[in-house]
Amino acid sequence: MMKNIILLLALVFSFSCKTNQTIGQQNINKKAESYNNQAQEYLFERNYEAAINALENAIKIEPEYLRAHFNLAIIYQNQYKNYQKAIAIYEQIESFDATNPSVSFNKGMSYFNLQELDEAKKTMIIYLNQSTNNQKGIRQANQVLKNIEFSKKALQKPLDIEYKNLGAPINTPKNEYFPSLTSDNEMIYFTVKDNKSNYAAEDIYFSKFENGSWQAVQKINSSINTNANEGAHCISSGGNYLLFASDNYKYGNEGRFDIYLAKKTGDKFRNPINLGKNINSRYWDSQPVLSADSKQLFFVSKQKNGLGGSDIYVSTLNSEGKFGPAENLGNTINTSFDEQRPYLHPDGKTLYFASGGHAGIGGADLYKSTLQEDGSWSKPENLGYPINTSGDEFGIFVSATGNTAYISSDRTGGFGGQDIYSFNLPTSLQPELVTYIKGNVTAKKTNEALKANIKIYDLKTGTLYKSLSSDEINGSFLTTIVSNKNYAFETLAKGYLPFSENVSIQKLKNNEAFVFNIELEKIAVGKEFTLNNIFFETNAFTLLDISKIELNYLVDFLKNNENTKIEIGGHTDDVGSDESNLNLSENRAKSVYNFLLEKGISTSRITYKGYGETKPLYENNSDENRAKNRRTSFKVL
């Protein structure tokens, strides 16, 4: 936000100077010039009414004072969005000087903001005829002409969008922007900045959704927020990691604006760490977003190796658990204009971002791109009107369920400044359907919160899908998972028996979630547990490859608890003869036994036994119950 303010002021002053350079020096009454200088000071202080009064006083003394007229038009155009008034002032300037390119450009932009597209096109062509040496201006004008043609088509097919202001206490007369939510939509984090002063610092706030409404807003603890700027943040889908950008040098810095990471324990975030030179350059680095599996970090940078303006980069976690060198996403996504505020949805392949360089409806529009099978990104798709307007849009956040989007806007009817809004995202713009798994890990009987390692595997591929930990203070965990898959869900805590579960998400419904409140039992002689993801060939004792996920997990359990000895028990249902079932169960138990031996587990710690159909967990009266009775159990000796 601060960057936009500085650019705005620079625009005012630079165009003011260009106006004078175009028409030559004017001999201005010193009193009139003093009023103009006062106006510029008021502008910097955001006292727009005082700036207007000062400029009007300057014009009363010098009716043809072009710089004062131009500054007045800029205020109406950029601050009050009174484009008709701005156009009237630009036309007055043209009556004094009809060949001023700066006037033509801003007049054309005002027409464009009013969606008077034919007038905007005509005026931009006039600008191009006037401005033959300003390559940057020519590039911008040609982009506007491209946007005009795109807008004509987009405005004819508006989307059915209804914006909902999140209301108090989220929104206030201050600026609230950059919303991000945990995957269960119960926590929202956002940046707040007072809109009364250019020197006000950005801070990060949060609110919890309870009893059908957002609760009182709180500022994140002082280990994050300081007197400097902390903003452009994102919260991980599980809510346990916060990434943000800051210019506070107390954190340790590589450049003038760096990206930091803070881990949440209980209700507080720990002291942040600088993500280092692979992420942070000596230039401006900001607007981070972490992929749902925490393996990729997307961010925006103005590094000199970019394609122009600010570009989107990605860094991938290496085998050492550190983010590797950042790579530019390339010219499918990035342009010679600014790309901003990337957001990778928890589906892992749908990227939303803002850009001023692709065909759009306004200065900066929102786009969607999808990661292809070959690792490339699809051609960005404009999100359409009225999600995009003739103004600047950036900072979209899409819920884990994919049907709700959040955005910041200074549209009329709000609380003042930038407010946060939500709206239903059209189906065509939604990402792949995902859900979340959440719960708490506690000790059985004592209900003590436990820090446990949780691993989720894709049962089809046998690959680790996600690895996370429950909170060491309250035992909570939260993470997203993609639909149309089967997962093995495993939990391990030192000194406790392991827990495993199958999670099948083949026909996921929107807003459907999975809650596991896991109670772990302490290791004790005689205690028995079952691992639910050990599979054999039908009527045989050959282990399926998919079982190795669970068995490696069992190896970890035994290595972490070196004094624990177990008996491996094989069990069947009642189909077949007693003798065949007993032999099958013993051979299956022996297969597990042999696997553990191959992994280095001593024979002194493991034995095996087949029980056949003698110890059913459920009555063998249905296919579902029989499947549950066919199992491999483990008893502590």
Side-chain angles (χ1 to χ4, degrees):
M1 197 70 178
M2 175 61 77
K3 182 187 75 166
N4 293 337
I5 294 166
I6 294 172
L7 287 177
L8 172 63
L9 295 170
L11 182 69
V12 173
F13 299 142
S14 64
F15 273 133
S16 297
C17 294
K18 287 176 185 176
T19 306
N20 266 1
Q21 291 167 1
T22 305
I23 64 174
Q25 292 293 331
Q26 286 183 290
N27 293 319
I28 302 298
N29 178 283
K30 288 187 177 181
K31 184 66 173 175
E33 190 170 16
S34 175
Y35 276 124
N36 181 70
N37 292 338
Q38 280 183 4
Q40 293 180 4
E41 292 177 7
Y42 288 135
L43 262 179
F44 197 79
E45 296 170 357
R46 293 175 171 264
N47 191 343
Y48 304 126
E49 288 296 328
I52 288 173
N53 289 335
L55 291 170
E56 288 176 343
N57 286 334
I59 292 169
K60 285 179 183 177
I61 298 171
E62 287 280 1
E64 296 187 15
Y65 189 0
L66 299 185
R67 181 183 293 184
H69 280 287
F70 193 88
N71 286 343
L72 187 62
I74 286 288
I75 294 174
Y76 281 111
Q77 180 179 352
N78 291 337
Q79 307 306 325
Y80 289 103
K81 303 187 187 304
N82 188 339
Y83 303 114
Q84 293 286 12
K85 178 73 172 178
I87 290 170
I89 298 173
Y90 290 134
E91 289 178 343
Q92 189 173 9
I93 296 173
E94 288 175 332
S95 70
F96 307 138
D97 176 15
T99 60
N100 190 293
S102 298
V103 172
S104 298
F105 183 90
N106 282 277
K107 181 182 174 184
M109 287 303 303
S110 293
Y111 277 125
F112 183 66
N113 287 322
L114 288 170
Q115 295 296 290
E116 295 184 22
L117 300 179
D118 291 335
E119 286 296 324
K121 181 177 180 179
K122 181 172 70 175
T123 310
M124 279 300 171
I125 291 174
I126 291 173
Y127 167 78
L128 289 171
N129 291 331
Q130 293 172 337
S131 183
T132 57
N133 297 321
N134 186 348
Q135 294 303 313
K136 183 177 180 180
I138 291 170
R139 179 166 57 89
Q140 291 174 329
N142 283 322
Q143 179 65 30
V144 173
L145 290 175
K146 184 167 69 172
N147 290 348
I148 288 170
E149 296 307 312
F150 181 87
S151 297
K152 287 181 177 180
K153 297 176 183 179
L155 294 176
Q156 293 175 357
K157 298 179 180 179
L159 300 169
D160 185 15
I161 299 293
E162 184 177 350
Y163 288 94
K164 179 182 178 181
N165 190 300
L166 293 195
I170 302 294
N171 293 317
T172 70
K174 298 180 179 180
N175 288 310
E176 291 84 23
Y177 49 97
F178 286 153
S180 62
L181 289 84
T182 53
S183 56
D184 58 1
N185 295 326
E186 291 186 2
M187 295 289 291
I188 184 171
Y189 294 80
F190 53 97
T191 302
V192 177
K193 184 179 184 298
D194 196 320
N195 58 7
K196 295 180 180 179
S197 169
N198 290 317
Y199 296 104
E202 296 174 306
D203 283 324
I204 303 172
Y205 287 70
F206 70 95
S207 175
K208 189 171 185 178
F209 193 80
E210 288 182 334
N211 302 319
S213 63
W214 292 107
Q215 301 303 298
V217 169
Q218 301 178 59
K219 185 184 288 191
I220 285 184
N221 49 288
S222 58
S223 64
I224 304 297
N225 288 321
T226 69
N227 291 330
N229 290 290
E230 286 79 33
H233 68 281
C234 83
I235 190 73
S236 64
S237 60
N240 52 340
Y241 289 102
L242 178 76
L243 290 104
F244 65 96
S246 177
D247 56 0
N248 190 331
Y249 298 129
K250 89 166 192 176
Y251 296 138
N253 65 294
E254 302 292 342
R256 65 185 182 89
F257 225 88
D258 280 6
I259 296 172
Y260 301 84
L261 180 144
K263 188 178 188 303
K264 188 178 184 183
T265 303
D267 294 330
K268 291 187 177 182
F269 287 95
R270 297 176 180 173
N271 290 333
I273 59 171
N274 187 297
L275 288 182
K277 292 183 179 180
N278 284 340
I279 305 297
N280 295 313
S281 66
R282 62 189 182 92
Y283 303 100
W284 180 83
D285 306 286
S286 186
Q287 301 175 8
V289 61
L290 194 65
S291 62
D293 61 6
S294 300
K295 294 178 181 178
Q296 287 187 307
L297 174 65
F298 293 77
F299 65 101
V300 176
S301 178
K302 288 193 171 184
Q303 299 176 28
K304 283 195 172 181
N305 64 354
L307 301 183
S310 55
D311 283 358
I312 300 173
Y313 290 77
V314 62
S315 173
T316 302
L317 206 66
N318 60 29
S319 58
E320 298 176 355
K322 297 180 180 180
F323 285 106
E327 297 180 2
N328 191 295
L329 284 195
N331 58 15
T332 300
I333 300 295
N334 293 316
T335 69
S336 58
F337 292 82
D338 285 338
E339 276 67 48
Q340 297 187 67
R341 193 55 176 176
Y343 171 64
L344 184 72
H345 189 265
D347 70 355
K349 60 183 181 182
T350 306
L351 180 72
Y352 298 90
F353 67 100
S355 174
H358 298 283
I361 301 170
D365 275 13
L366 295 166
Y367 298 84
K368 170 192 171 186
S369 178
T370 304
L371 186 64
Q372 307 298 296
E373 292 292 335
D374 63 0
S376 64
W377 292 96
S378 66
K379 181 181 178 181
E381 176 186 0
N382 189 290
L383 297 193
Y385 177 80
I387 296 176
N388 291 316
T389 68
S390 59
D392 288 334
E393 274 75 39
F394 65 99
I396 191 171
F397 181 93
V398 179
S399 65
T401 52
N403 59 343
T404 304
Y406 298 82
I407 196 172
S408 55
S409 173
D410 61 354
R411 63 186 62 222
T412 58
F415 287 72
Q418 293 277 330
D419 281 358
I420 298 174
Y421 292 80
S422 66
F423 62 92
N424 290 329
L425 192 65
T427 303
S428 62
L429 300 175
Q430 291 181 13
E432 185 175 327
L433 192 60
V434 303
T435 187
Y436 61 87
I437 292 179
K438 68 181 296 186
N440 291 277
V441 181
T442 58
K444 198 170 185 178
K445 294 182 180 179
T446 67
N447 205 34
E448 174 190 358
L450 296 177
K451 180 180 180 180
N453 295 322
I454 300 170
K455 291 184 177 181
I456 304 173
Y457 291 88
D458 184 330
L459 279 175
K460 182 178 181 180
T461 63
T463 56
L464 179 64
Y465 177 66
K466 282 188 181 179
S467 179
L468 62 149
S469 297
S470 57
D471 189 276
E472 62 188 70
I473 292 179
N474 56 37
S476 64
F477 64 90
L478 170 66
T479 191
T480 53
I481 48 176
V482 179
S483 64
N484 300 318
K485 290 180 182 289
N486 292 325
Y487 298 95
F489 186 87
E490 302 172 346
T491 307
L492 202 63
K494 189 173 179 62
Y496 290 82
L497 298 177
F499 169 89
S500 75
E501 186 60 83
N502 285 330
V503 180
S504 179
I505 309 179
Q506 295 299 325
K507 295 181 180 180
L508 180 67
K509 298 177 181 178
N510 213 331
N511 294 322
E512 183 179 3
F514 294 83
V515 178
F516 290 110
N517 289 315
I518 301 167
E519 292 183 325
L520 298 183
E521 279 198 283
K522 281 196 171 185
I523 298 172
V525 173
K527 292 293 184 181
E528 190 170 339
F529 61 94
T530 299
L531 297 180
N532 295 307
N533 298 305
I534 298 177
F535 305 102
F536 300 87
E537 291 185 2
T538 304
N539 294 323
F541 51 86
T542 302
L543 282 165
L544 297 179
D545 285 342
I546 200 171
S547 302
K548 294 176 183 178
I549 297 172
E550 195 89 296
L551 292 176
N552 283 320
Y553 167 66
L554 180 61
V555 170
D556 289 341
F557 164 73
L558 292 171
K559 288 182 177 180
N560 288 332
N561 299 278
E562 298 175 351
N563 297 321
T564 300
K565 299 178 181 181
I566 60 170
E567 176 196 84
I568 305 162
H571 303 268
T572 68
D573 58 26
D574 64 347
V575 177
S577 68
D578 293 351
E579 183 179 358
S580 63
N581 283 336
L582 188 63
N583 288 334
L584 179 62
S585 66
E586 184 165 344
N587 283 326
R588 285 182 170 181
K590 186 177 181 180
S591 294
V592 174
Y593 173 85
N594 289 334
F595 181 92
L596 295 179
L597 291 181
E598 291 173 4
K599 293 295 181 177
I601 304 301
S602 171
T603 56
S604 65
R605 298 183 61 197
I606 51 176
T607 62
Y608 66 92
K609 185 175 181 179
Y611 290 94
E613 59 187 81
T614 62
K615 289 189 174 183
L617 293 177
Y618 301 92
E619 188 176 351
N620 285 298
N621 57 6
S622 68
D623 290 341
E624 183 180 358
N625 284 353
R626 288 188 178 96
K628 291 177 180 178
N629 288 330
R630 297 190 298 269
R631 68 195 189 280
T632 304
S633 66
F634 303 89
K635 183 168 66 173
V636 179
L637 300 177

